[in-house]
Structures are given as structure tokens and as C-alpha cells.
Amino acid sequence: MTGYHSVFISHAHKNNPICMEYYQALQIKGIDAWIDLQNMQDGHFLTQQIQTELQNRTAFILMMTPDSLDSFWVGLERDAFLGLMAVQKNRALIPIRILPCDVPPFMNAFKWIDGVGATPEQLIDKLLHALKIENIPTVSNQNAANTTDSYSEWSIKGDVLLQTEKYDEALAAYDLALTFKKSDIHALIGKARVLYALKRFDETLAACDKALELQPAEAAAWSIKGRALNDMEKFNESLAAHNTAIVIEPESSDFWTGKATTYVDMWKHDDALKTISKAIELNSHNIEAIILKAWTLNLLKKYDEALALCDEAIAKNPTYDKAWNNKGNILASLKRFDEAIAAYQKAIEYNPQYSSAWSNLGLTYAEINQNDEAIAAYEKAILLDKNNPRAWNNLSSLLMKLKQHTEAISTLERALMINPNNTGALNMKGNVLSDLNRFDEALIAYNAALAVDPNLDFVWFNIGSTYHQMKKYAEAMTAYDHSLSINPRYTEAWHGKGRTLEAQGKYEEGLQAYNKVISYDPKAALSYFGKGNMLWQLQRYDEALRVYDQAIEIDPNDFRIWGAKGDLLFLLKRYDEADYCYSRALEIEPTDTEAWRRKGMLLCEQQQYSAALPMFDKGLAVAPKDTTIMFQKGIALSRLQRYDESNQIYQSILALEPTDCATWTNIGYNYAQTSKYDDSLKAYSQATAIDAKYELAWNNKIALLRSMGKEREAKQTEKLRDEAMK
């Protein structure tokens, strides 16, 4: 097996610019390198951090220039490392002449590299060859008891195994190092890195805490601890740990990147961007920071900037799997799904074990309805990482979309058997149960997620949505407000408030909620849609039409917005414009039964009843049991004096909804038109028996009795009506 040394770069600070180029070239190739650009030394001794880095790193690159060969500090660093080499044979000293200078005779004992006149990129292959560690033995417990290797050698082997992602073997190597020396900080840090890579976060924290007991100023331990706490969604504790690491080593680009990651996960995008900028300022080749900035810009819907950063990262390292994965995410946000799939496949080509890329690939296949491929990709993601919550959630979400609710719940139960505190799975279980109208069970699942972490804004939002469906509007508002207390910029919660306020007839307040969404997200088409609905209800029709147009400009393919605009134009008797809107809605979604019904009603309004019938029939072809379309068709047939056909339609409605008063009333009207007066009176009586306050049925019955010359019965019926209407 092959790995690479971790590197200490020793140089004169006058040569910072050129040495930084070598440092960045090594980082791009994935080499763990450290360089002091701040001239940390004070007095005549190496600082504690310099000493720690010399001990922790197994290769010493000496940047030979006239200034470095004349530097007291470079000589001190070199001698310290030579002392370590004397007892640890697998360390390496690699001199590189980067500027013209006389090489000291004793340096000829080492195989030095002549880089004068060359760029770091031209020398990188030679450097990698010099840094290569060959034939690292496999670590097993079986031979552990017999080993005579020193703790430092096992610690170094752990580094190589970690670098090559042989996590179980790396963990065994670090544990062996710690059996020889429990206070080996380097082994404890390495062990923490391995445990973090394995997502064993509680153990990661334990290893970090042990290292910090021994050395409280160990910045790497604080940084790893911060990352683990972030993944455990303990964000405030994570920030505190990252801040401590940065106080100790303020010039570490990696530590600033860790802090920025936490800000991103907290949805504090402005803070994230400031922190990422600091990380990139410290190291313009920090690809993790570049990718994190791209993802943050993607979340802010600044897609062009985000894509440009991904391409920049890929140009720096074409095989960087995370850059390809992130590019796929941004392309998916832009609905450029074929390109997104190609990007995810690139990520998987370079890292076939990349669970997140498989999960994202599945999500994109689902977007284009390649459901079998999506399910296979999700299952692959779960096979690679059973603790990948997005894969579990995406798979169950797809199964829910396919109305395979039993399979979705079974999938979530599998996830919860592995981790009962998987808040994502608990949340998704609530979503599935809510989709089945099993609202009380859904609330139990959501509350179980909140018992693990009460600060999950999206769970509070889902609770609000569930209460909204239950028409418990006060409880819904409380849940939305709780979500917004956690994340004041959570646009979905503001939108949910708008919907609930609309349902309560609180249109001015609903308008304010939708305006809040738009202030945070000017491209939120559905919130413009909601705002338009509020303005309509407030009878501010011209404003409503303008807002609908804004929504359509943002998303011209949302048939619901076209339909709503058509309805308002219908109300305003602007029939040609309304018909155009309904036609556009049907171009986008030919199965939009409401648009077919409205087109038919529009024609009926213009007394074009024969032309209306095909519109209703097209709607019924999609939804044969849609009683609202059937009712309108019955009216059209009645206006055409096709009373028997009309009543046949109405009888079909009553087979589905036997207590529909309007249908009984219209049947009564049709019977009256064909002189079937007794049948007509029975139909009207049936309507008033169902709903004694249904005034139209009373009035039609009274009018029919008078037309039949039954004035006394008409007056008696009037009295009954008046009593019922009190």
C-alpha cells in the first residue's frame, strides 16, 4: 500500500511568496502540509506550535535559498528534525533548491531536488515521489501484542492509512500507538480524525477531549471537535469550539472553513460568506472553502457565481469529487438535470464510495421521473453509508410521491432501527403520515424529532402545515412562529403563515407574510401567487393582476398561477384574456381539470353552452368522478333544454354525494321544466330536508306551487321557510 508523508515546510520568511506557491501545489495534490508564514519564533527557542508541528509531521522540506541557508531559525528547525530522524527512521528530509545558492556539503547526504528556474507545478511529480511511503504493513490485533515498533512508528502508519481512507486499519494503528504512550497527542488527533470520518461522533468528541486534557491549546482537536458537534447539529457548541481553534491559530484557513460550515448549516449565510472569505484570503487554494462558498451562493440562488466557483475548483483539481458533486447540486437547482447527472457521475467516477453523490444522483433521476434509477441510486448510497440521512429521506420521499406509503414507512423504520434519534427520518415519517391524513400520528413523529433537537425549524414548519390541514389555525400559527424564532429568514414558514392567515380571512396580515417572503427571496413565485390572492380578496384587482404577472415572469410554467389570473379576469368579465390564461395553463398541464371546468364555465357565461360541453367532457376524461365538473355540465345541458340528460348527470353526482342540496334543487328545476311537478316538489323537499336553510330550494318550491295555483300550500311553505331561516 502507498501513502504520503505529512509535511513541515521550513523556509526563510523573506521567501514567503515563492514558498507559498509550493505549499499550495502540495495542498492541491492532497498532501497534508504546514507552513509558518507569520514568523512565530521569539527569543532563541522554537515556539510550542513549531515544536508540535515538527513532531507531528514525518517529512521536512527545506526550501534552500541564500536567505534560508543563512537563517538561524531554519537551522534550528532542521537540527530539531534531524534529532527526530535519529530515533524515528521512517522520517524524511527533502531539500529543494528554489533560488541559486551554494548547497552545503552535508546536504549532499540527502537526495536534494534542484528547482531553480522551475515552477512548483513542474516539480510536483518529483516532490510526490520523494514524499511517497511504500509498503505500509496491514495492522491487525493479532500481531499487536508481538510488535516491538515504537508508538511513533504506529502513529505514522496510522497517518498513512488515514490518508488512504483505510479507516479501520488506521484506527487500529493509532490505538496501538496509544497502548505504548497514552499521552501521544498526535495519535489522539489522528484517532479523532478517523472516528470523524467514520461518523462516530460521540467517540470523536471523547478523543478530542482526551487530547485537550493533555494539551488544552491543541487547535486541531478543537477544530475536529467543532466539526463533529456541527454534524450532531449542536451548532452553538460547534461555533464555540471553532472559535477556540481560531484564537489559537488565527491563520489556519482550514479552521475558518470549519466555522463557515457551521454557519451554512445554521442558515446564517451572510456570516458564512464573511467567514469563507477569510479562509480563502488565508489560502486561495483551499478548495474546501471554495466549494463551500459555491454551495452558500447556491442557497442564496446566485447560481452563476456558484457555478463559476465550482469550475474554478475543478480547474485546480480536476479529480476533486466534492467539486463535481457540488456542481451537480447547482445544476440541479437550475433544473439542468442532464448536466447535473453528468456531474454526479464524474464525482462517482473519481470516488465510487461517495454516498452523498449517489444520493444526489438519485434525487436528480427522481426529478425527471426515472424512478427505478433513482431508487437504485438511493439504495447504493445507503449500502455505502447506512447513516446517510439524506439517502434514507430521499428514498422514502420518492416512495411517498409514488403513493407507496407502506414501503416509505418501512424504509424509515429501517433508518430508525439503525439510529432512533435520526431526526430526518422522524421528520419524514411525519410527512408520510400527514400525506395519509393520519395527522395525530404525524404529530407524534414530529414531536419525537423535537425531543432530540427542539431547534429544528423545518420540523416546526411541518407541524404548522399539519395543523393547517387539520384546520387548527391557532396551533398552526404558533408552530410557524416557533420555526421563525429559530430561523427568522425561513421563507417556507412565512409562506405557511400567509396560507393560514388567508384561510382565516385575515388578508392584510397574509399580505404582510407574503411580502416578508419576497423581501428575503425576490424569486419566490409561489409567494407572489399568494400575494396576488390576498390582493384579490382585498378587491385590489389591478394590483393583483400585476403581481400574478410578476409570478408568471419568474415561473412561466406554473399552471396554477395562470389559472388564478384567468379566474380574476373571468370575474372582471375580460373573457378573451381569461380564456388565454386557461389555455396557457392547459398547455403546461393538460390534466388540469379546474382549467377545463373554468373554460366551460367561461363559455356558459357567454351562453355558448354547446361549445362548453366538450370542455367539461375533457375534464371528466381526466377525473370521471369530479362532481364540480359534472355539476357544471348538468347546468349546460339544462340551458340547452336537454333536461333528461342533465338529470342523468345529477343522479351520478348524488350516487357520490347523496346530500348535495344544490344538485337536488337543480333536479327539481329540470323536472319542473318538463311538467313533472310532483317529482320536482319531491326534489325540492329533499334539498330542504337535508339543509333547512338552503333558501334557493324553498324559493323554487314556493314559486312552483304558485304556478300550479296552490297558493295556500305556497303560503304554508313560506312560513316554514321563514321559520327555518331564523
Side-chain angles (χ1 to χ4, degrees), residues 362-371 374-375 378 393-408 428 431-432 435:
L363 190 61
T364 309
Y365 278 134
E367 287 284 353
I368 57 176
N369 295 317
Q370 293 187 20
N371 296 320
I375 290 170
Y378 291 144
N393 295 346
N394 290 342
L395 175 57
S396 58
S397 180
L398 176 58
L399 293 168
M400 182 174 74
K401 174 185 168 185
L402 297 173
K403 302 300 179 186
Q404 298 178 25
H405 293 96
T406 302
E407 292 83 352
M428 183 56 68
N431 292 347
V432 177
D435 198 52

Side-chain angles (χ1 to χ4, degrees), residues 63 102 214 217 242 250 271 316 375 416 496 550 581 586 590 646:
M63 311 299 284
D102 294 330
L214 297 167
H242 286 307
D271 290 330
K316 291 177 184 294
I375 290 170
L416 291 166
Q550 286 177 289
C581 289
L586 289 165
S646 177

Side-chain angles (χ1 to χ4, degrees), residues 671-685:
Y671 279 137
Q673 300 308 305
T674 55
S675 302
K676 297 178 180 178
Y677 301 125
D678 289 341
D679 290 334
S680 178
L681 291 170
K682 288 177 183 177
Y684 291 140
S685 295

Side-chain angles (χ1 to χ4, degrees), residues 270-330:
D270 291 339
D271 290 330
L273 286 174
K274 290 176 187 175
T275 310
I276 296 166
S277 295
K278 180 65 176 177
I280 294 172
E281 176 190 326
L282 291 167
N283 178 8
S284 61
H285 287 268
N286 184 338
I287 297 182
E288 182 188 0
I290 293 170
I291 290 302
L292 186 62
K293 184 175 183 180
W295 179 241
T296 308
L297 291 168
N298 177 59
L299 294 174
L300 293 169
K301 301 188 177 180
K302 296 181 179 181
Y303 301 121
D304 291 339
E305 294 176 64
L307 272 179
L309 283 171
C310 285
D311 288 336
E312 178 187 335
I314 290 167
K316 291 177 184 294
N317 186 354
T319 64
Y320 188 45
D321 51 356
K322 290 182 181 177
W324 285 107
N325 181 62
N326 209 45
K327 183 173 183 177
N329 292 340
I330 298 164

Side-chain angles (χ1 to χ4, degrees), residues 536-591:
W536 179 352
Q537 294 297 335
L538 292 166
Q539 298 184 16
R540 292 158 62 178
Y541 299 132
D542 290 340
E543 290 178 74
L545 287 172
R546 285 196 295 272
V547 172
Y548 285 143
D549 285 338
Q550 286 177 289
I552 288 168
E553 184 179 354
I554 295 166
D555 187 359
N557 294 316
D558 192 324
F559 68 94
R560 296 167 297 179
I561 305 172
W562 283 106
K565 183 183 177 183
D567 290 346
L568 180 51
L569 291 165
F570 189 169
L571 175 71
L572 297 172
K573 300 187 184 303
R574 292 161 61 175
Y575 297 135
D576 289 343
E577 293 172 80
D579 185 63
Y580 171 78
C581 289
Y582 295 139
S583 296
R584 286 290 291 115
L586 289 165
E587 283 177 21
I588 297 162
E589 181 51 78
T591 63

Side-chain angles (χ1 to χ4, degrees), residues 132-423:
K132 191 178 294 184
I133 306 173
E134 302 283 359
N135 302 319
I136 299 301
T138 299
V139 182
S140 67
N141 290 330
Q142 202 168 28
N143 64 15
N146 298 323
T147 183
T148 58
D149 288 308
S150 71
Y151 71 88
S152 60
E153 290 174 324
W154 280 113
S155 191
I156 291 167
K157 290 169 185 175
D159 293 346
V160 177
L161 291 160
L162 171 59
Q163 192 178 64
T164 55
E165 299 183 2
K166 302 290 186 182
Y167 297 128
D168 291 334
E169 293 180 61
L171 190 59
Y174 289 129
D175 281 338
L176 282 170
L178 291 166
T179 61
F180 291 113
K181 185 180 179 183
K182 293 180 180 179
S183 61
D184 183 358
I185 294 289
H186 181 81
L188 283 166
I189 297 297
K191 181 176 181 177
R193 293 187 196 281
V194 173
L195 291 166
Y196 178 73
L198 293 170
K199 300 187 178 181
R200 290 160 59 176
F201 300 128
D202 288 331
E203 295 172 80
T204 304
L205 294 180
C208 290
D209 287 341
K210 180 64 177 174
L212 292 169
E213 283 177 22
L214 297 167
Q215 193 164 311
E218 178 54 60
W222 284 110
S223 177
I224 299 164
K225 184 174 182 176
R227 288 181 181 266
L229 287 165
N230 179 66
D231 286 359
M232 298 168 79
E233 298 183 351
K234 296 181 178 181
F235 298 126
N236 291 329
E237 294 176 65
S238 172
L239 282 178
H242 286 307
N243 284 333
T244 304
I246 289 168
V247 167
I248 297 167
E249 289 189 34
E251 303 303 319
S252 170
S253 177
D254 290 341
F255 296 167
W256 286 97
T257 305
K259 180 178 178 180
T261 301
T262 301
Y263 276 136
V264 171
D265 290 345
M266 295 173 77
W267 287 78
K268 293 187 174 182
H269 298 138
D270 291 339
D271 290 330
L273 286 174
K274 290 176 187 175
T275 310
I276 296 166
S277 295
K278 180 65 176 177
I280 294 172
E281 176 190 326
L282 291 167
N283 178 8
S284 61
H285 287 268
N286 184 338
I287 297 182
E288 182 188 0
I290 293 170
I291 290 302
L292 186 62
K293 184 175 183 180
W295 179 241
T296 308
L297 291 168
N298 177 59
L299 294 174
L300 293 169
K301 301 188 177 180
K302 296 181 179 181
Y303 301 121
D304 291 339
E305 294 176 64
L307 272 179
L309 283 171
C310 285
D311 288 336
E312 178 187 335
I314 290 167
K316 291 177 184 294
N317 186 354
T319 64
Y320 188 45
D321 51 356
K322 290 182 181 177
W324 285 107
N325 181 62
N326 209 45
K327 183 173 183 177
N329 292 340
I330 298 164
L331 290 166
S333 297
L334 290 166
K335 301 188 185 303
R336 291 159 57 178
F337 297 123
D338 289 341
E339 294 174 78
I341 288 169
Y344 293 134
Q345 289 173 336
K346 272 288 187 184
I348 291 165
E349 175 187 338
Y350 295 125
N351 182 3
Q353 309 301 310
Y354 196 174
S355 176
S356 293
W358 280 105
S359 180
N360 291 333
L361 179 62
L363 190 61
T364 309
Y365 278 134
E367 287 284 353
I368 57 176
N369 295 317
Q370 293 187 20
N371 296 320
D372 290 341
E373 291 86 347
I375 290 170
Y378 291 144
E379 292 286 6
K380 179 68 174 180
I382 291 166
L383 180 66
L384 291 169
D385 180 5
K386 65 183 180 182
N387 290 313
N388 183 336
R390 284 175 57 84
W392 287 110
N393 295 346
N394 290 342
L395 175 57
S396 58
S397 180
L398 176 58
L399 293 168
M400 182 174 74
K401 174 185 168 185
L402 297 173
K403 302 300 179 186
Q404 298 178 25
H405 293 96
T406 302
E407 292 83 352
I409 291 174
S410 175
T411 297
L412 292 165
E413 294 295 350
R414 284 165 55 202
L416 291 166
M417 285 181 66
I418 294 167
N419 178 9
N421 293 326
N422 183 337
T423 55

